[in-house]
Amino acid sequence: MVSEFLIPITEGSAMNELLVHSILLRCCLALILLPLLELVNRLIVLLQDKTYIYDINSLTILDTIDTVPNLKGICAFSPSLDGCFLALPASITKGSLLLYNVMELQLHCEIDAHLAPLSTMVLSSNGMYIATASEQGTMIRVHLVSEATKSYSFRRGSYPSTIFSLSFGQCSQVPEILVATSSSGSVHVFPLGFAINQSRRSGGFLGSIMLDSISDALDPAHHHIVHNAVPAGIKSYAVIRKVDRVADTSSSEIVACRATLAIITYNGYFQEYNLSLSNQNEFSRSLDCEFNLLTAIANNDVRL
């Protein structure tokens, strides 16, 4: 396993290499002081129009990637030896992205995911899938990285909305869950694994063709929404911390999964939800905890 260590630095175009190396030295000093359980092989430094790939042990620059202007620091990284990929925007006028193999130091593919520019993206932990959203925010698309063209799409809604974050659940093959937070204040939960399996079973050969299609007319609208999870307009970031799969004892088929979802907002609140999904499209959730981080830290109620 390759540990993820990615530092987006996008403010100001005059940042020079000396400052970059200064930042790297501070990061490496912090790593030395931390009790690392895994070997960190790659460090990614993201600038406004350039990305550096470092060997963190020797501080050697392994590769330098010239990029389109990336003021928002949009990127994705998968810390897996079997699929260690870095994704970066390929255009400022449309939603295309470049995927680099960080271990082999070469371009893997380019994916045209959306007509509008990208707003966010995420790679699954095993590097097999990448999910993207555009500035339009109505569609969430998932591509199989190895093929670059096979995709599955979810319709978040009909009206534009800013997608603040995307998160896959931990997985060995197909992620069961994909979660998105948006400017509407809602959290959208997409049962990716169940949806793909149901499409294959119900559609047969036609279903497999529809699965790989990019046509919005065929995109499934069924997903689950946690309404008013955060105030509308407040930027939020969600991470699926844990996924437990429930299998049928007779067939070993996954019939349900339970997930722990953590959400942090830019106005200082932390939430943790327990989610439950079944292969019958049943969904339930419960708010396990919620508190203001600034207040909790001031009162020594939480240790970071």
Side-chain angles (χ1 to χ4, degrees), residues 120-137:
T120 188
M121 54 186 170
V122 67
L123 279 154
S124 61
S125 59
N126 58 9
M128 291 181 63
Y129 294 88
I130 183 166
T132 59
S134 74
E135 292 179 354
Q136 188 76 8

Side-chain angles (χ1 to χ4, degrees), residues 87-154:
L88 297 167
S91 173
I92 59 174
T93 59
K94 63 177 183 177
S96 60
L97 62 98
L98 298 174
L99 274 164
Y100 292 88
N101 188 312
V102 176
M103 302 307 293
E104 299 178 3
L105 301 177
Q106 64 182 16
L107 178 66
H108 175 70
C109 66
E110 181 173 350
I111 296 176
D112 292 323
H114 304 267
L115 295 178
L118 296 169
S119 66
T120 188
M121 54 186 170
V122 67
L123 279 154
S124 61
S125 59
N126 58 9
M128 291 181 63
Y129 294 88
I130 183 166
T132 59
S134 74
E135 292 179 354
Q136 188 76 8
T138 55
M139 300 298 303
I140 309 294
R141 292 204 170 96
V142 180
H143 284 75
L144 183 63
V145 170
S146 61
E147 301 294 335
T149 54
K150 295 182 178 179
S151 64
Y152 199 66
S153 300
F154 293 96

Side-chain angles (χ1 to χ4, degrees), residues 17-292:
E17 188 171 335
L18 179 62
L19 180 55
V20 171
H21 280 283
S22 175
I23 294 172
L24 290 179
L25 289 173
R26 295 183 184 184
C27 292
C28 289
L29 177 60
L31 287 174
I32 293 172
L33 298 177
L34 289 174
L36 294 181
L37 300 179
E38 298 176 318
L39 178 63
V40 180
N41 291 324
R42 294 291 185 265
L43 187 148
I44 312 299
V45 178
L46 182 68
L47 305 185
Q48 179 175 301
D49 55 6
K50 196 178 295 290
T51 297
Y52 295 95
I53 301 176
Y54 283 81
D55 182 302
I56 199 169
N57 297 309
S58 63
L59 283 184
T60 302
I61 298 178
L62 301 176
D63 199 4
T64 302
I65 304 169
D66 292 320
T67 64
V68 299
N70 189 7
L71 299 176
K72 296 180 181 179
I74 299 170
C75 60
F77 184 71
S78 59
S80 170
L81 283 175
D82 296 327
C84 192
F85 293 105
L86 170 67
L88 297 167
S91 173
I92 59 174
T93 59
K94 63 177 183 177
S96 60
L97 62 98
L98 298 174
L99 274 164
Y100 292 88
N101 188 312
V102 176
M103 302 307 293
E104 299 178 3
L105 301 177
Q106 64 182 16
L107 178 66
H108 175 70
C109 66
E110 181 173 350
I111 296 176
D112 292 323
H114 304 267
L115 295 178
L118 296 169
S119 66
T120 188
M121 54 186 170
V122 67
L123 279 154
S124 61
S125 59
N126 58 9
M128 291 181 63
Y129 294 88
I130 183 166
T132 59
S134 74
E135 292 179 354
Q136 188 76 8
T138 55
M139 300 298 303
I140 309 294
R141 292 204 170 96
V142 180
H143 284 75
L144 183 63
V145 170
S146 61
E147 301 294 335
T149 54
K150 295 182 178 179
S151 64
Y152 199 66
S153 300
F154 293 96
R155 183 174 293 280
R156 181 211 54 82
S158 301
Y159 297 98
S161 181
T162 301
I163 305 298
F164 290 137
S165 71
L166 294 168
S167 178
F168 281 115
Q170 292 288 324
C171 60
S172 58
Q173 293 295 321
V174 178
E176 269 76 23
I177 305 175
L178 172 65
V179 167
T181 61
S182 71
S183 57
S184 68
S186 299
V187 175
H188 301 262
V189 181
F190 306 97
L192 180 61
F194 293 143
I196 289 177
N197 291 333
Q198 288 171 3
S199 294
R200 286 173 176 163
R201 286 197 302 267
S202 62
F205 177 70
L206 179 60
S208 65
I209 296 176
M210 292 171 62
L211 178 65
D212 294 340
S213 172
I214 201 72
S215 170
D216 289 353
L218 299 177
D219 290 335
H222 66 279
H223 70 277
H224 308 287
I225 304 175
V226 180
H227 292 284
N228 302 317
V230 299
I234 299 297
K235 193 171 184 179
S236 57
Y237 190 86
V239 174
I240 300 175
R241 295 179 53 199
K242 181 182 179 183
V243 176
D244 294 320
R245 298 161 181 83
V246 180
D248 188 303
T249 55
S250 60
S251 64
S252 298
E253 178 186 3
I254 302 298
V255 296
C257 66
R258 291 184 287 269
T260 302
L261 174 67
I263 303 172
I264 189 167
T265 67
Y266 270 48
N267 62 346
Y269 280 87
F270 175 87
Q271 297 175 330
E272 190 168 89
Y273 283 88
N274 293 318
L275 310 178
S276 179
L277 300 101
S278 76
N279 60 358
Q280 303 299 317
N281 205 30
E282 298 171 338
F283 174 73
S284 64
R285 90 276 185 177
S286 61
L287 180 61
D288 186 56
C289 67
E290 179 180 22
F291 54 85
N292 186 296

